[in-house]
Amino acid sequence: MDFVNLTHHFLIAMPGMADPNFSGSLTYICEHNELGALGVVVNRPTDMTLASLFEQIQMPLGSAAMAGQPVYYGGPVQTDRGFVLHRPLGGWQSTLAVREDVGLTTSRDILQAVSEGAGPDGLLVSLGYAGWAPGQIEDEIGRNAWLTVAAAPAVIFELPPPERLGAALRLLGVDPAMLCDEAGHA
């Protein structure tokens, strides 16, 4: 498969995905170029809540409504580090602009803003991210490990985690019940 820029696309794990890090996952690709790809799994909440995370980093969480929101497993790379996927983009110290309205921030200032009730409208906090070497994601797509579709931020920021994978499949016009774990070849 030739290089196709998958920035701001969803990777939808096919039912036959053997890697337990990605089985049943929906991954949002934040950056994809000739150096590889970086994404965040957006449908794997952990048992940790934002309240407990903020307690661990010794920062008050000013919003009771956000306290119960989960922290997500973002992928198998740097699972001890936080990544904040958010909209709108904002002006944080260390932000990768995915698009004009979506960013991925790793600096503490965004958490401080959330603590003070001045954070972004939509956010998903994850521990870890998913990374691919140059050509790796294209190879995996060629081996039928993933489906891809242009991302819709509403899937990430407005739907509960269990509904996100099915919603991404519906963006492709695919009924999740119709997928099988074996690839066909013509």
Side-chain angles (χ1 to χ4, degrees):
M1 176 178 183
D2 293 332
F3 175 80
V4 176
N5 186 343
L6 296 174
T7 300
H8 187 64
H9 279 70
F10 287 131
L11 283 186
I12 302 165
M14 291 296 289
M17 173 66 73
D19 185 338
N21 291 305
F22 297 106
S23 178
S25 72
L26 178 65
T27 304
Y28 178 70
I29 301 299
C30 300
E31 183 174 45
H32 185 212
N33 56 37
E34 64 281 349
L35 301 175
L38 178 148
V40 176
V41 176
V42 297
N43 68 330
R44 290 245 178 104
T46 68
D47 292 336
M48 180 184 287
T49 63
L50 286 182
S52 61
L53 174 70
F54 275 72
E55 185 177 305
Q56 285 182 21
I57 61 172
Q58 300 176 347
M59 213 180 268
L61 182 57
S63 168
M66 295 185 81
Q69 285 189 18
V71 173
Y72 289 76
Y73 167 79
V77 183
Q78 292 188 340
T79 56
D80 60 338
R81 186 169 179 198
F83 296 83
V84 181
L85 187 60
H86 57 87
R87 71 174 182 183
L89 191 55
W92 316 109
Q93 290 175 3
S94 181
T95 299
L96 168 66
V98 180
R99 294 179 8 137
E100 66 280 351
D101 61 341
V102 178
L104 181 68
T105 298
T106 57
S107 52
R108 189 174 170 98
D109 60 336
I110 193 168
L111 297 176
Q112 184 65 47
V114 170
S115 169
E116 297 166 357
D121 295 332
L123 65 92
L124 180 145
V125 178
S126 75
L127 294 176
Y129 70 92
W132 291 266
Q136 182 181 0
I137 208 166
E138 294 86 350
D139 179 61
E140 291 177 8
I141 291 169
R143 289 185 288 116
N144 299 308
W146 304 101
L147 289 175
T148 64
V149 65
V155 171
I156 301 168
F157 299 111
E158 297 173 20
L159 294 178
E163 295 178 18
R164 293 175 185 165
L165 183 64
L169 283 165
R170 285 188 290 282
L171 291 172
L172 279 171
V174 174
D175 178 351
M178 302 309 285
L179 290 178
C180 68
D181 58 0
E182 294 182 28
H185 298 282

